């Protein structure tokens, strides 16, 4: 927990521009915006740890797949506690900006752990935005993810359709600097699903699918691919492979 607090402190107080969106207005306006954002962060820091700890403590003792299933059932409070437990357990030191350090699959379903963590992140934003005193923690989580350039692009600038208004609402409510409107929406929740079927690498490229490496983490190339539009994950197998199986339907 102390490492989580320290990472937030380093991110929000030693860095004046964790998000590289273009600033608007003259220097005076930008300075006022920065002061306002710093005041929000200072206030949010005072309550975020307690809210986070309480929500994590309320989550049932379950494995990762059990917590992931709770994200889609039950009341908002229980969904939020499951989401925060996933963030705490899967993201290294509970820091969403370190999503690329997550590896492995939940077996035997063969679901990428990084996508389970991403679902936890999105559900946490959604639920916290509706909770009393939860908006500050939502803002901190959002900026932590944005501290990763790839994370910002893949999951904030190009979020699932359901998340675009949530991200804008959180950013606006807590006074985050910059333009947080999506470039486009890309797919739907949940992001995680089991690996099923085979498709060729050419099809994956032509349909702008995201490749996953051997450990299920999004990379520029790999033996798996994630079709964000259809919400499916496939193995890559090219037609010149003697064991080629036509799939991906």
């Amino acid at each position: 927990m102390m490492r989580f607090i320290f990472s937030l402190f380093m991110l929000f107080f030693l860095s004046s521009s964790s998000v590289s969106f273009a600033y608007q207005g003259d220097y005076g306006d930008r300075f006022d915006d920065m002061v306002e954002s710093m005041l929000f962060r200072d206030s949010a820091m005072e309550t975020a740890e307690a809210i986070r700890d309480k929500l994590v403590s309320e989550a049932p003792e379950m494995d990762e797949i059990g917590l992931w299933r709770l994200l889609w059932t039950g009341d908002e409070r229980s969904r939020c506690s499951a989401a925060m437990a996933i963030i705490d357990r899967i993201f290294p030191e509970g820091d969403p900006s370190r999503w690329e350090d997550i590896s492995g699959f939940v077996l035997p379903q063969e679901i990428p752990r990084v996508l389970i963590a991403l679902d936890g992140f999105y559900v946490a934003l959604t639920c916290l935005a509706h909770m009393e005193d939860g908006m500050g923690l939502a803002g901190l989580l959002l900026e932590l993810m944005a501290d990763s350039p790839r994370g910002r692009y893949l999951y904030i600038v190009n979020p699932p359709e359901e998340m675009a208004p949530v991200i804008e609402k959180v950013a606006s409510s807590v006074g985050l600097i910059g333009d947080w409107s999506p470039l486009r929406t890309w797919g739907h929740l949940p992001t995680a699903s089991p690996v099923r079927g085979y498709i060729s690498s050419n099809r994956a490229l032509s349909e702008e699918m995201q490749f996953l490496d051997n450990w299920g983490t999004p990379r520029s190339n790999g033996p798996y691919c994630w079709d964000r539009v259809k919400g499916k994950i496939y193995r890559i197998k090219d037609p010149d492979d003697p064991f080629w199986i036509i799939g991906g339907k």
Side-chain angles (χ1 to χ4, degrees):
M1 181 55 63
M2 289 304 297
R3 288 180 296 178
F4 175 82
I5 299 171
F6 178 74
S7 67
L8 289 179
F9 179 86
M10 291 295 291
L11 173 64
F12 299 128
F13 293 95
L14 297 185
S15 172
S16 63
S17 57
S18 62
V19 180
S20 61
F21 297 123
Y23 284 48
Q24 303 294 324
D26 59 23
Y27 290 111
D29 290 338
R30 283 187 288 176
F31 179 77
D32 290 343
D33 289 343
M34 185 178 298
V35 171
E36 182 178 350
S37 181
M38 291 288 284
L39 289 173
F40 153 69
R41 293 166 186 166
D42 188 36
S43 175
M45 283 287 290
E46 294 178 1
T47 59
E49 180 191 357
I51 295 172
R52 178 179 180 274
D53 287 350
K54 183 169 179 55
L55 286 169
V56 171
S57 70
E58 292 174 4
E61 291 294 329
M62 287 184 170
D63 58 14
E64 293 172 1
I65 192 65
L67 290 170
W68 178 70
R69 287 171 176 152
L70 287 180
L71 297 179
W72 321 111
T73 61
D75 60 68
E76 195 162 65
R77 181 82 183 192
S78 63
R79 292 173 60 223
C80 194
S81 65
M84 291 307 303
I86 286 174
I87 291 172
D88 186 68
R89 183 180 301 186
I90 302 181
F91 286 110
E93 300 182 8
D95 183 352
S97 71
R98 297 185 59 188
W99 65 272
E100 290 183 275
D101 295 335
I102 301 171
S103 64
F105 295 84
V106 172
L107 301 175
Q109 295 89 344
E110 201 173 5
I111 301 175
R113 295 180 69 241
V114 66
L115 298 188
I116 290 176
L118 185 60
D119 280 335
F121 168 75
Y122 282 140
V123 171
L125 289 185
T126 302
C127 295
L128 286 168
H130 296 147
M131 287 176 52
E132 184 179 0
D133 298 327
M135 191 65 81
L137 178 55
L140 293 179
L141 291 173
L142 185 58
E143 284 209 325
L144 278 170
M145 178 62 82
D147 193 48
S148 160
R150 288 191 71 221
R152 180 176 65 242
Y153 179 77
L154 289 174
Y155 310 130
I156 295 176
V157 178
N158 294 276
E161 184 174 337
E162 301 92 331
M163 292 307 303
V166 175
I167 290 171
E168 289 189 276
K169 177 182 178 181
V170 171
S172 174
S173 297
V174 300
L176 300 185
I177 299 171
D179 180 8
W180 292 78
S181 58
L183 178 65
R184 66 167 174 176
T185 58
W186 196 356
H188 299 273
L189 294 179
T191 65
S193 66
V195 177
R196 293 286 187 271
Y198 300 85
I199 64 170
S200 70
S201 58
N202 285 339
R203 178 178 167 187
L205 287 167
S206 67
E207 297 186 16
E208 296 186 87
M209 297 184 192
Q210 173 68 64
F211 286 97
L212 309 177
D213 64 18
N214 283 305
W215 297 273
T217 305
R219 304 293 185 196
S220 59
N221 205 347
Y224 302 91
C225 64
W226 172 27
D227 184 345
R228 289 186 60 170
V229 174
K230 295 181 180 178
K232 296 182 179 181
I233 302 173
Y234 306 113
R235 293 179 181 85
I236 297 292
K237 191 177 287 287
D238 289 306
D240 58 357
D241 188 319
F243 298 102
W244 164 249
I245 301 174
I246 298 175
K249 295 181 180 179

